[in-house]
Amino acid sequence: MKDKKKELTKNQKIVLDFIQKSNKPVKAYSILSNVSKKGLKAPPQVYRALEKLMEVGEIHKIESLNSFVACNSKCIEPNGTIFSICKSCDQTKEVSNTELFKFLSDIKDMNGIELSGYNLELFGTCKTCKT
Amino acid sequence: MKDKKKELTKNQKIVLDFIQKSNKPVKAYSILSNVSKKGLKAPPQVYRALEKLMEVGEIHKIESLNSFVACNSKCIEPNGTIFSICKSCDQTKEVSNTELFKFLSDIKDMNGIELSGYNLELFGTCKTCKT
DNA sequence: AATATTTTGTTATAATATAACATTACCTTC
DNA sequence: GAAGGTAATGTTATATTATAACAAAATATT
Ligand SMILES: [Zn+2]
Ligand SMILES: [Zn+2]
Ligand SMILES: [Zn+2]
Ligand SMILES: [Zn+2]
């Protein structure tokens, strides 16, 4: 069984490395300017890498921030994500989701929709920003 | 106690009307082209209206679609929204959220964040698209 | 009426994302 | 190892989404 990261291509690794080193969600064009020294010079190179990294669950997109963050929950099923987001500093934290998944089954039934994924974004103020 | 809609300005009413008549989430530039006959000719006019309408809870933004939809749950607290979204046709349905709010309190504690809002987007395939 | 405030209008531009095609690297198979 | 195929990368251009900054008009307040 191969290491997931080994399956990634050069550009995908470059982009993932940068995202993992960031302590906050990062925007595509911020990634671009930060990895330009490594040879990625145009948006499609970054967006292609982002797309693949999301597919394999290495990163997630924070929709409300148009930003990307490394997965810290070893998401096997990247179809369900939960993040808490500080409205003041944009710091995010991935929430583990075992309990919630069960809960969401009920909501599925309520809407007659065959559920295949979800994204929950919780907004608030983090401890640091509250003081 | 005044009617919420009465407090809206001309442009806000125009934009809201269009969104309410749409049976799907609509994009800002689609709104713009559809209300241009009513005098709104530039993006800021639409975006300003959208901002206000979100503030007062008349509409919500579907972040994963960059689209806007009328509130159908008479959201008093527009801080928590739940939508089911068909990945095939982009149809959405607002889910009432009484049960979930309680559930989210726990998640708040899990992250040491003072929660003030949330947005849950559930993805799946609607009945129509499944057949 | 004069003044302040809010809303609207307008121009320009920023920020986010993708389409389309060219080139290179990397396999495979003969 | 040349020929041909596939995947990855590079490149240019453009589409889409959103906001800044300022001007004009409408509305409210004094
Ligand atoms: Zn994850
Ligand atoms: Zn914070
Ligand atoms: Zn609502
Ligand atoms: Zn559908």
Side-chain angles (χ1 to χ4, degrees):
Chain A
M1 196 219 273
K2 281 184 202 167
D3 181 11
K4 243 184 188 178
K5 207 162 177 178
K6 278 277 159 58
E7 293 165 11
L8 299 176
T9 66
K10 191 191 85 188
N11 287 0
Q12 287 157 11
K13 278 185 237 172
I14 290 169
V15 169
L16 177 56
D17 271 6
F18 176 71
I19 297 175
Q20 284 176 336
K21 279 173 192 154
S22 307
N23 61 347
K24 268 194 187 190
V26 282
K27 288 171 174 289
Y29 275 71
S30 162
I31 296 168
L32 178 58
S33 66
N34 277 282
V35 299
S36 66
K37 66 194 88 166
K38 304 219 171 176
L40 285 84
K41 287 172 191 163
Q45 296 175 291
V46 169
Y47 279 101
R48 280 193 291 234
L50 290 172
E51 188 179 23
K52 182 63 183 298
L53 292 169
M54 285 190 286
E55 261 174 44
V56 301
E58 288 283 355
I59 66 169
H60 303 294
K61 183 174 187 181
I62 309 291
E63 293 285 357
S64 62
L65 300 176
N66 291 321
S67 298
F68 303 86
V69 68
C71 175
N72 68 4
S73 297
K74 318 240 182 283
C75 282
I76 295 154
E77 281 294 335
N79 302 323
T81 55
I82 314 172
F83 285 93
S84 65
I85 303 165
C86 177
K87 287 190 296 183
S88 174
C89 68
D90 289 351
Q91 205 89 30
T92 66
K93 203 167 172 184
E94 189 167 0
V95 179
S96 65
N97 54 10
T98 42
E99 227 183 327
L100 185 63
F101 187 74
K102 193 167 168 296
F103 188 89
L104 292 176
S105 306
D106 301 341
I107 293 172
K108 173 179 73 177
D109 297 341
M110 283 161 60
N111 281 274
I113 191 170
E114 185 165 9
L115 190 67
S116 61
Y118 59 88
N119 179 43
L120 172 58
E121 301 188 357
L122 304 161
F123 305 104
T125 311
C126 77
K127 278 175 181 165
T128 310
C129 288
K130 216 160 35 178
T131 56
Chain B
M1 195 218 271
K2 283 183 201 167
D3 181 11
K4 245 182 187 177
K5 205 161 178 178
K6 278 278 159 58
E7 292 164 11
L8 299 175
T9 66
K10 190 191 85 187
N11 287 0
Q12 288 156 10
K13 279 185 236 170
I14 290 169
V15 169
L16 178 55
D17 271 4
F18 176 72
I19 296 175
Q20 286 176 336
K21 281 173 191 154
S22 307
N23 61 346
K24 268 195 187 189
V26 281
K27 288 171 173 289
Y29 276 71
S30 162
I31 296 168
L32 178 59
S33 66
N34 277 282
V35 300
S36 64
K37 66 194 88 165
K38 305 218 169 173
L40 285 83
K41 287 172 193 163
Q45 296 175 291
V46 168
Y47 279 101
R48 280 193 292 234
L50 291 172
E51 188 180 25
K52 183 64 184 299
L53 292 169
M54 285 191 286
E55 260 175 44
V56 301
E58 289 282 356
I59 65 169
H60 304 295
K61 182 175 186 180
I62 309 292
E63 293 285 355
S64 62
L65 298 176
N66 292 321
S67 299
F68 303 87
V69 67
C71 176
N72 68 5
S73 297
K74 319 240 182 281
C75 282
I76 295 153
E77 282 293 336
N79 302 324
T81 54
I82 315 172
F83 285 92
S84 64
I85 303 165
C86 176
K87 288 189 295 184
S88 172
C89 69
D90 290 349
Q91 204 90 30
T92 66
K93 202 167 173 183
E94 189 166 0
V95 179
S96 66
N97 55 9
T98 42
E99 229 184 324
L100 185 63
F101 186 73
K102 191 166 172 294
F103 189 88
L104 292 176
S105 307
D106 301 340
I107 292 172
K108 174 178 73 177
D109 297 339
M110 283 161 61
N111 281 274
I113 191 169
E114 186 166 7
L115 190 69
S116 61
Y118 59 86
N119 180 41
L120 172 58
E121 301 188 357
L122 305 161
F123 306 103
T125 310
C126 76
K127 277 176 181 164
T128 310
C129 289
K130 217 161 34 179
T131 56

